[in-house]
Each structure stands twice: as C-alpha cells, then as structure tokens.
Amino acid sequence: MDLDRARFLISLAAARVLADAETSLVGLSLHQRAAALRKELPPADAAALSEQIDLRAHAARRWEAPPGDWRFTRDGLEMATHPIVAARRAARLAAHGLPVVDLTCGIGGDLAVLASEAHTVLGVERDPALALLARHNTGARAGVLVGDAVQPPVAPAGKLLFIDPARRARGRRRFDPAAFTPNWDTCVALLREAAGGCIKGPPGIAPEALPPEAEVEFVQLGRSLREAAIYTGCMARPGLRRAVLLPASDELTSDEPEIDAAASPIGAVIYDPASALTRAGLVRQLGHRLGAALVDPHLGYLTASSHVCTPFADAFEVLDVIPFSLARLKSHLRETARVPHEIRRRAFPIEPDDLRRQVGRLEGEPVTLLCTTIETRRVVIVGRHL
C-alpha cells in the first residue's frame, strides 16, 4: 500500500463514506461497489474503500467480532493473529511489568492487544504506510516508529521484544526460517539482547531451529493449530514444551510424568490427541494423565480400557478394527449398516476425501474411521465418538 492511500483511508472523509457504504452497498461485488463509490470519489479512493469493505467483512468473519474503526491491508489481515491468541501472548508479556516493543507491528494487530495489557508499549514498522495504519488502529494506546527490526530504533536491553517475522512473499507462504523477514537467526539474536521476549513461529517449526534457552508453546484455537510461540530470557523455562488449547486455556507441559514407549493392543477406547499436543511431543504425558497406552510408539494414538474425559484429545469407543483393503472396508460398512461421517488419518496413504469417494454412498449409523499404520499393518479403526 502506498502512503497516499493510507492517508486517505484514515481520513475523516473516508470514515464518513465508509460508514454509509458498508450499509448501503452491502451485497455488491468489489467492482460494483467501486463503481458506485466513484460517483462521489476519485477512482483510486473509490477502489481503496471498496477493498476496505471487503477486508473489514473478512476480518469480522475471521475474528468473530466487528472490526471497529480498523483499516486493513490484504497481507496484514492474512498475517494478523486471532485476538484470542494474541491476548494469551500479551498477558504473558505484560505480567513481567517491563516495556514491550513489537518490532514487526504491521497494521497493529498484536500491538493493539499488547497495548490493552502492558503499561508501556511501542511498535516498530519499516513500511511508512503500514505504520500510519498501525497508529490509527491502536489510537493513543501505543507509540509507533518507522524503523527496521534488524536495526531497531530503540535499544532492546531491559525490554521485552515481540517479533512476528513475515512468512509470505508475493502472496506465497515461505516455510524455510532462513527466508523469513527478519530471518530466524536475526530474530533469535535480537531476543538475546533483550530481557526476554517472544517470536511468533509457524506451528511446523523444526525442533533444531529452536534455541536451547527457549521455551516453546504450541497454541491451538478450537481445532486450528495457530502458532508456535517461542519465549526466551526472563519469560522462558529453557527446554520446556507446552500445549495450550484456547479459548479455555487448558495446558499440558513436558515436565509432567509420562508413560513409557511400549505399544499396547487396541482397547475399548482410542484417543486422537489435539494437534497442539502432538506438535509439542506430549502424547506420552497425556497418556499418563488418562491411564492410557500408546497404540504404536511412532503414532499419536492412545488406547485404554475405559474412557476419561479430556480437552486434549477426541475419544472414541472402538467398534471394530479392520485390516485395510477397500473391498473389505466397504463390505464391513454395508454389513454393519454404518456410514463414515468423519474420516481421520495418521501414517496412512489415502486422503480422507479420496477414501470417502472410493467407499461410495452408504446408509446407516454415522461412525468415525481412524485410518492408520500400526507397525507395518494398515488398519481402519471404526469408532463412535464419546
């Protein structure tokens, strides 16, 4: 976004037109709205507001809340942390009572949440247009400086830093931490200069990328694994791994007791742990909590003779265990009058949607199919959700 467009979007004139247009032009396409807005605005301004209506509607759906007086960019909205996830991190940062600097504040998503929790908050953004939007979106609650995180305009010493490195280029997601902006090594080096802080990492971050002094928190909202938050300095217990389920803030950590790695035959109940738990490598800790055993040391499934409720896994009553072949599975489902309402897989070569098509249309009781490979045997576990 260029600076002139950003200045227009935060102007009083834009605010007046936007407030009316979001109501009067609802249901129109992007181009239809732009055409209607060109009756009272120059073409560039009409296009900017038409896009803004789209982005604000997207934000309302994604955040499940009205976007207030916010202004967005498409990339900024895609990168923005969900407010519930951002609030979890902000509360941790604010608890230390130190000044907090968001070195990659973008349009101000995390910065606004930090400013609602911490006493002294500063944002840094290298793009002047985004910095202008961040000032607008955070109001007077946080200062925003134009500067580069690689050479911060404020000294990190004695402060807590938050860094969310960009993982997109030309609309495509990047998975190599060396290709992030700032790159991963720079982010880690910056935090080592500070009293502590947090890097927002992708959930699939490789273990070898984590600095040895870090604590990592895998955060899941609902069924969606959102991020790996890497904490350092005064905020970290070195080497600790934590799984967090939001919005309830249920936690499980790597320092809890764990079961051994021995495999056990499938019992009356099977547990499919949450994504945050498997990414954090805490399946054996969950097994200890549940009195359950591993189905296979290389899988995430747990099994037990009786059911214990837990937020950290979906539990299923085991109805059948079928050695996999497509013909055998179809025959079994027809004979037992069952329909695969849900299909899950771990270490199994067929995608759930493909398997559903191959099974074909059936009628009967809805069941869940858990498709996996135990040792070298491909099996399908037919389960009823508990």
Side-chain angles (χ1 to χ4, degrees):
M1 176 179 290
D2 63 54
L3 197 53
D4 286 342
R5 175 174 266 202
R7 289 193 181 109
F8 167 69
L9 285 174
I10 66 171
S11 68
L12 289 175
R16 286 193 292 268
V17 176
L18 187 61
D20 177 64
E22 282 189 301
T23 302
S24 61
L25 303 181
V26 66
L28 298 183
S29 71
L30 185 72
H31 298 299
Q32 288 172 328
R33 281 198 305 269
L37 290 167
R38 281 197 295 271
K39 296 175 182 177
E40 55 182 308
L41 293 170
D45 293 347
L49 280 187
S50 182
E51 179 189 47
Q52 203 60 213
I53 292 169
D54 257 7
L55 294 176
R56 286 168 55 79
H58 184 193
R61 292 191 299 270
R62 184 177 174 190
W63 293 351
E64 300 171 342
D69 193 33
W70 277 60
R71 302 293 183 267
F72 298 97
T73 66
R74 198 164 298 280
D75 284 347
L77 182 56
E78 287 300 317
M79 289 184 63
T81 309
H82 192 288
I84 293 175
V85 179
R88 159 81 187 186
R89 188 192 313 109
R92 285 200 63 174
L93 287 159
H96 292 266
L98 295 172
V100 182
V101 182
D102 181 347
L103 284 179
T104 52
C105 75
I107 62 172
D110 281 286
L111 185 65
V113 181
L114 281 167
S116 68
E117 295 280 351
H119 180 65
T120 304
V121 178
L122 178 69
V124 176
E125 172 51 50
R126 66 178 184 171
D127 184 330
L130 296 185
L132 200 61
L133 297 188
R135 290 190 191 103
H136 172 85
N137 291 337
T138 57
R141 293 175 295 165
V144 179
L145 298 178
V146 176
D148 194 331
V150 175
Q151 296 180 312
V154 293
K159 302 176 182 66
L160 299 178
L161 302 183
F162 171 65
I163 309 175
D164 180 7
R167 298 187 289 279
R168 287 180 180 271
R170 299 181 182 89
R172 300 183 66 180
R173 190 178 293 275
R174 295 175 292 190
F175 297 96
D176 179 6
F180 295 172
T181 307
N183 68 56
W184 193 256
D185 288 345
T186 298
C187 294
V188 172
L190 285 165
L191 260 65
R192 284 173 174 156
E193 295 180 37
C198 176
I199 307 171
K200 176 184 171 182
I205 188 75
E208 56 268 24
L210 303 175
E213 71 273 20
E215 168 187 325
V216 59
E217 188 170 275
F218 292 88
V219 182
Q220 182 170 333
L221 177 62
R223 295 187 63 87
S224 175
L225 183 56
R226 296 298 179 120
E227 66 180 50
I230 292 92
Y231 292 94
T232 63
C234 65
M235 301 200 61
R237 291 167 59 190
L240 187 79
R241 289 166 285 116
R242 177 184 286 108
V244 178
L245 303 186
L246 298 175
S249 293
D250 295 302
E251 297 184 20
L252 196 148
T253 57
S254 58
D255 59 355
E256 294 195 24
E258 61 186 82
I259 58 174
D260 62 37
S264 177
I266 296 172
V269 176
I270 193 160
Y271 296 96
D272 186 8
S275 299
L277 201 91
T278 54
R279 281 299 305 152
L282 301 178
V283 173
R284 289 165 63 180
Q285 283 81 356
L286 179 61
H288 187 273
R289 279 196 183 187
L290 301 176
L294 293 170
V295 170
D296 182 294
H298 305 294
L299 293 175
Y301 292 128
L302 292 163
T303 190
S305 59
S306 59
H307 176 222
V308 177
C309 288
T310 176
F312 290 103
D314 290 329
F316 301 89
E317 176 189 359
V318 176
L319 303 175
D320 291 292
V321 181
I322 306 166
F324 177 72
S325 78
L326 183 60
R328 186 182 292 117
L329 176 61
K330 291 170 67 173
S331 175
H332 178 87
L333 292 172
R334 282 196 300 267
E335 289 172 4
T336 55
R338 291 171 180 157
V339 179
H341 172 71
E342 181 184 25
I343 300 176
R344 303 186 181 196
R345 70 166 184 159
R346 288 182 188 264
F348 194 80
I350 305 176
E351 292 284 350
D353 287 346
D354 292 337
L355 184 59
R356 189 183 303 279
R357 283 193 295 270
Q358 292 170 16
V359 166
R361 297 177 66 87
L362 297 166
E363 294 184 358
E365 176 193 6
V367 294
T368 296
L369 305 183
L370 298 110
C371 306
T372 191
T373 303
I374 300 175
E375 295 178 344
T376 59
R377 297 175 292 112
R378 290 176 184 166
V379 300
V380 176
I381 304 163
V382 182
R384 181 183 290 123
H385 210 293
L386 294 170

